[in-house]
Short mmCIF file of all heavy atoms in Angstrom, two decimals:
data_model
loop_
_atom_site.label_atom_id
_atom_site.label_comp_id
_atom_site.label_asym_id
_atom_site.label_seq_id
_atom_site.Cartn_x
_atom_site.Cartn_y
_atom_site.Cartn_z
N GLU A 72 19.08 -1.84 8.68
CA GLU A 72 18.58 -1.78 10.05
C GLU A 72 18.67 -0.33 10.54
O GLU A 72 19.57 0.40 10.14
CB GLU A 72 19.45 -2.65 10.97
CG GLU A 72 20.82 -2.06 11.18
CD GLU A 72 21.90 -3.00 11.57
OE1 GLU A 72 22.04 -4.00 10.88
OE2 GLU A 72 22.54 -2.70 12.59
N ILE A 73 17.71 0.06 11.37
CA ILE A 73 17.71 1.41 11.92
C ILE A 73 18.25 1.34 13.35
O ILE A 73 17.68 0.63 14.20
CB ILE A 73 16.29 2.02 11.93
CG1 ILE A 73 15.71 2.04 10.52
CG2 ILE A 73 16.30 3.42 12.53
CD1 ILE A 73 14.24 2.47 10.46
N LYS A 74 19.33 2.08 13.63
CA LYS A 74 20.02 1.99 14.91
C LYS A 74 19.30 2.83 15.97
O LYS A 74 19.64 3.99 16.21
CB LYS A 74 21.45 2.46 14.71
CG LYS A 74 22.53 2.07 15.70
CD LYS A 74 22.56 0.67 16.17
CE LYS A 74 23.87 -0.06 15.91
NZ LYS A 74 23.82 -1.04 14.90
N PRO A 78 14.03 -2.15 17.63
CA PRO A 78 14.11 -3.10 16.52
C PRO A 78 13.57 -4.48 16.93
O PRO A 78 13.74 -4.90 18.08
CB PRO A 78 15.60 -3.17 16.20
CG PRO A 78 16.19 -1.95 16.82
CD PRO A 78 15.34 -1.64 18.02
N CYS A 80 14.05 -8.29 16.55
CA CYS A 80 15.05 -9.29 16.15
C CYS A 80 14.35 -10.64 16.04
O CYS A 80 13.82 -11.13 17.03
CB CYS A 80 16.18 -9.35 17.19
SG CYS A 80 16.97 -7.74 17.46
N PHE A 84 18.10 -14.35 17.36
CA PHE A 84 18.66 -13.23 18.12
C PHE A 84 20.17 -13.44 18.20
O PHE A 84 20.61 -14.55 18.53
CB PHE A 84 18.09 -13.13 19.54
CG PHE A 84 18.63 -11.93 20.26
CD1 PHE A 84 18.00 -10.71 20.16
CD2 PHE A 84 19.81 -12.02 20.99
CE1 PHE A 84 18.52 -9.58 20.79
CE2 PHE A 84 20.36 -10.90 21.60
CZ PHE A 84 19.72 -9.69 21.50
N GLY A 85 20.95 -12.39 17.86
CA GLY A 85 22.40 -12.56 17.83
C GLY A 85 22.81 -13.35 16.61
O GLY A 85 22.23 -13.18 15.54
N GLN A 94 24.21 -12.08 8.94
CA GLN A 94 23.89 -10.85 9.68
C GLN A 94 23.19 -11.21 10.99
O GLN A 94 22.28 -12.04 11.00
CB GLN A 94 22.96 -9.99 8.83
CG GLN A 94 22.22 -8.92 9.63
CD GLN A 94 22.23 -7.57 8.95
OE1 GLN A 94 22.50 -7.49 7.77
NE2 GLN A 94 21.95 -6.53 9.70
N ILE A 95 23.58 -10.56 12.07
CA ILE A 95 22.97 -10.91 13.36
C ILE A 95 21.53 -10.37 13.42
O ILE A 95 21.14 -9.51 12.65
CB ILE A 95 23.79 -10.40 14.57
CG1 ILE A 95 23.86 -8.88 14.63
CG2 ILE A 95 25.17 -11.00 14.60
CD1 ILE A 95 24.46 -8.40 15.97
N HIS A 96 20.78 -10.95 14.32
CA HIS A 96 19.43 -10.51 14.67
C HIS A 96 18.36 -10.76 13.62
O HIS A 96 17.31 -10.12 13.64
CB HIS A 96 19.42 -9.03 15.08
CG HIS A 96 20.22 -8.73 16.31
ND1 HIS A 96 20.44 -9.63 17.32
CD2 HIS A 96 20.89 -7.62 16.67
CE1 HIS A 96 21.18 -9.08 18.27
NE2 HIS A 96 21.48 -7.85 17.89
N ARG A 100 13.67 -7.19 10.95
CA ARG A 100 13.85 -5.74 11.09
C ARG A 100 14.24 -5.07 9.78
O ARG A 100 14.29 -3.83 9.71
CB ARG A 100 14.89 -5.43 12.18
CG ARG A 100 16.29 -5.94 11.88
CD ARG A 100 17.26 -5.56 12.96
NE ARG A 100 18.58 -6.15 12.75
CZ ARG A 100 19.68 -5.74 13.36
NH1 ARG A 100 19.64 -4.73 14.21
NH2 ARG A 100 20.83 -6.34 13.14
N HIS A 170 14.54 -5.21 20.92
CA HIS A 170 15.88 -4.67 21.16
C HIS A 170 15.81 -3.17 21.49
O HIS A 170 16.34 -2.33 20.77
CB HIS A 170 16.71 -4.89 19.89
CG HIS A 170 18.17 -4.69 20.00
ND1 HIS A 170 18.73 -3.54 20.52
CD2 HIS A 170 19.20 -5.47 19.64
CE1 HIS A 170 20.03 -3.64 20.46
NE2 HIS A 170 20.35 -4.79 19.94
N TYR A 172 16.32 0.53 22.62
CA TYR A 172 17.37 1.52 22.86
C TYR A 172 16.77 2.63 23.72
O TYR A 172 15.96 3.40 23.22
CB TYR A 172 17.86 2.13 21.55
CG TYR A 172 18.73 1.28 20.67
CD1 TYR A 172 18.20 0.24 19.92
CD2 TYR A 172 20.09 1.55 20.56
CE1 TYR A 172 19.01 -0.53 19.10
CE2 TYR A 172 20.91 0.78 19.74
CZ TYR A 172 20.36 -0.25 19.01
OH TYR A 172 21.17 -1.01 18.19
N LYS A 194 29.42 -11.26 26.78
CA LYS A 194 29.77 -11.19 25.37
C LYS A 194 30.60 -9.95 25.04
O LYS A 194 30.71 -9.56 23.87
CB LYS A 194 28.49 -11.19 24.52
CG LYS A 194 27.60 -12.39 24.73
CD LYS A 194 28.23 -13.67 24.23
CE LYS A 194 27.34 -14.87 24.43
NZ LYS A 194 28.04 -16.13 24.05
N GLU A 215 32.30 -1.10 28.38
CA GLU A 215 31.46 -1.88 27.46
C GLU A 215 30.69 -2.94 28.25
O GLU A 215 31.26 -3.62 29.10
CB GLU A 215 32.30 -2.59 26.40
CG GLU A 215 31.44 -3.42 25.45
CD GLU A 215 32.22 -4.43 24.63
OE1 GLU A 215 33.47 -4.45 24.73
OE2 GLU A 215 31.57 -5.22 23.92
N VAL A 216 29.40 -3.01 28.00
CA VAL A 216 28.56 -4.05 28.59
C VAL A 216 27.86 -4.76 27.44
O VAL A 216 27.27 -4.11 26.59
CB VAL A 216 27.50 -3.46 29.54
CG1 VAL A 216 26.58 -4.55 30.06
CG2 VAL A 216 28.14 -2.73 30.71
N ASN A 217 27.97 -6.09 27.42
CA ASN A 217 27.24 -6.89 26.43
C ASN A 217 26.97 -8.24 27.09
O ASN A 217 27.79 -9.15 27.01
CB ASN A 217 28.06 -7.05 25.15
CG ASN A 217 27.21 -7.57 24.01
OD1 ASN A 217 26.03 -7.85 24.19
ND2 ASN A 217 27.81 -7.71 22.85
N ARG A 218 25.84 -8.32 27.80
CA ARG A 218 25.56 -9.47 28.64
C ARG A 218 24.18 -10.04 28.35
O ARG A 218 23.23 -9.29 28.15
CB ARG A 218 25.62 -9.08 30.12
CG ARG A 218 26.99 -8.62 30.58
CD ARG A 218 26.98 -8.17 32.01
NE ARG A 218 28.32 -7.77 32.46
CZ ARG A 218 28.60 -7.30 33.66
NH1 ARG A 218 27.61 -7.12 34.56
NH2 ARG A 218 29.83 -6.97 33.98
N ILE A 219 24.12 -11.35 28.38
CA ILE A 219 22.84 -12.05 28.26
C ILE A 219 22.50 -12.59 29.66
O ILE A 219 23.16 -13.50 30.15
CB ILE A 219 22.92 -13.21 27.27
CG1 ILE A 219 23.42 -12.72 25.90
CG2 ILE A 219 21.57 -13.90 27.12
CD1 ILE A 219 23.57 -13.82 24.86
N VAL A 249 19.01 -8.92 27.52
CA VAL A 249 20.34 -8.49 27.09
C VAL A 249 20.53 -7.04 27.48
O VAL A 249 19.63 -6.21 27.28
CB VAL A 249 20.52 -8.66 25.57
CG1 VAL A 249 21.79 -7.98 25.07
CG2 VAL A 249 20.53 -10.14 25.21
N VAL A 250 21.68 -6.73 28.07
CA VAL A 250 22.03 -5.34 28.34
C VAL A 250 23.27 -5.02 27.49
O VAL A 250 24.24 -5.78 27.51
CB VAL A 250 22.32 -5.07 29.83
CG1 VAL A 250 22.69 -3.60 30.04
CG2 VAL A 250 21.11 -5.45 30.69
N TRP A 251 23.17 -3.95 26.71
CA TRP A 251 24.26 -3.60 25.78
C TRP A 251 24.55 -2.10 25.79
O TRP A 251 23.62 -1.29 25.70
CB TRP A 251 23.90 -4.02 24.35
CG TRP A 251 24.95 -3.70 23.33
CD1 TRP A 251 26.24 -4.14 23.34
CD2 TRP A 251 24.81 -2.88 22.16
NE1 TRP A 251 26.91 -3.65 22.24
CE2 TRP A 251 26.05 -2.88 21.48
CE3 TRP A 251 23.75 -2.15 21.60
CZ2 TRP A 251 26.27 -2.18 20.30
CZ3 TRP A 251 23.96 -1.47 20.41
CH2 TRP A 251 25.23 -1.48 19.77
N ASN A 252 25.79 -1.78 25.97
CA ASN A 252 26.33 -0.45 25.69
C ASN A 252 27.73 -0.69 25.14
O ASN A 252 28.58 -1.28 25.81
CB ASN A 252 26.40 0.43 26.95
CG ASN A 252 26.93 1.83 26.60
OD1 ASN A 252 28.06 1.99 26.14
ND2 ASN A 252 26.11 2.85 26.80
N PRO A 253 28.00 -0.27 23.91
CA PRO A 253 29.28 -0.59 23.24
C PRO A 253 30.47 0.18 23.80
O PRO A 253 31.61 -0.15 23.48
CB PRO A 253 29.01 -0.18 21.80
CG PRO A 253 27.97 0.90 21.89
CD PRO A 253 27.12 0.52 23.07
N LEU A 261 31.20 1.25 14.94
CA LEU A 261 29.94 1.03 14.23
C LEU A 261 29.61 2.25 13.36
O LEU A 261 29.46 3.36 13.89
CB LEU A 261 28.82 0.74 15.21
CG LEU A 261 28.91 -0.63 15.90
CD1 LEU A 261 27.94 -0.71 17.06
CD2 LEU A 261 28.65 -1.74 14.91
N ASP A 263 26.95 3.23 11.99
CA ASP A 263 25.65 3.90 12.21
C ASP A 263 25.47 4.35 13.65
O ASP A 263 24.34 4.51 14.13
CB ASP A 263 24.48 3.01 11.74
CG ASP A 263 24.58 1.59 12.30
OD1 ASP A 263 25.57 1.28 12.99
OD2 ASP A 263 23.66 0.80 12.02
N CYS A 274 20.86 -0.25 25.89
CA CYS A 274 19.87 -1.22 25.42
C CYS A 274 19.57 -2.19 26.55
O CYS A 274 20.50 -2.79 27.12
CB CYS A 274 20.37 -1.98 24.21
SG CYS A 274 20.51 -0.98 22.73
N GLU A 276 17.14 -5.31 26.60
CA GLU A 276 16.38 -6.00 25.55
C GLU A 276 15.61 -7.19 26.11
O GLU A 276 16.21 -8.03 26.80
CB GLU A 276 17.37 -6.46 24.47
CG GLU A 276 18.27 -5.32 23.97
CD GLU A 276 19.55 -5.78 23.30
OE1 GLU A 276 19.51 -6.85 22.65
OE2 GLU A 276 20.60 -5.11 23.45
O1 G6P B 401 24.30 -3.43 15.48
P1 G6P B 401 23.17 -4.41 15.67
O2 G6P B 401 23.17 -5.50 14.65
O3 G6P B 401 21.87 -3.72 15.79
O4 G6P B 401 23.45 -5.13 17.07
C1 G6P B 401 23.65 -4.38 18.17
C2 G6P B 401 23.92 -5.23 19.40
O5 G6P B 401 22.82 -6.03 19.67
C3 G6P B 401 22.84 -6.78 20.90
O6 G6P B 401 22.77 -5.95 21.98
C4 G6P B 401 24.06 -7.66 20.94
O7 G6P B 401 24.17 -8.23 22.24
C5 G6P B 401 25.31 -6.89 20.57
O8 G6P B 401 26.38 -7.82 20.46
C6 G6P B 401 25.12 -6.15 19.25
O9 G6P B 401 26.28 -5.44 18.91
#
Side-chain angles (χ1 to χ4, degrees):
E72 71 203 51
I73 303 173
K74 200 44 122 252
C80 304
F84 183 88
Q94 162 135 17
I95 64 170
H96 297 332
R100 63 177 174 164
H170 193 308
Y172 286 75
K194 301 293 181 185
E215 179 196 357
V216 175
N217 194 358
R218 296 177 178 178
I219 305 178
V249 169
V250 180
W251 180 59
N252 182 298
L261 289 168
D263 50 357
C274 291
E276 308 159 34

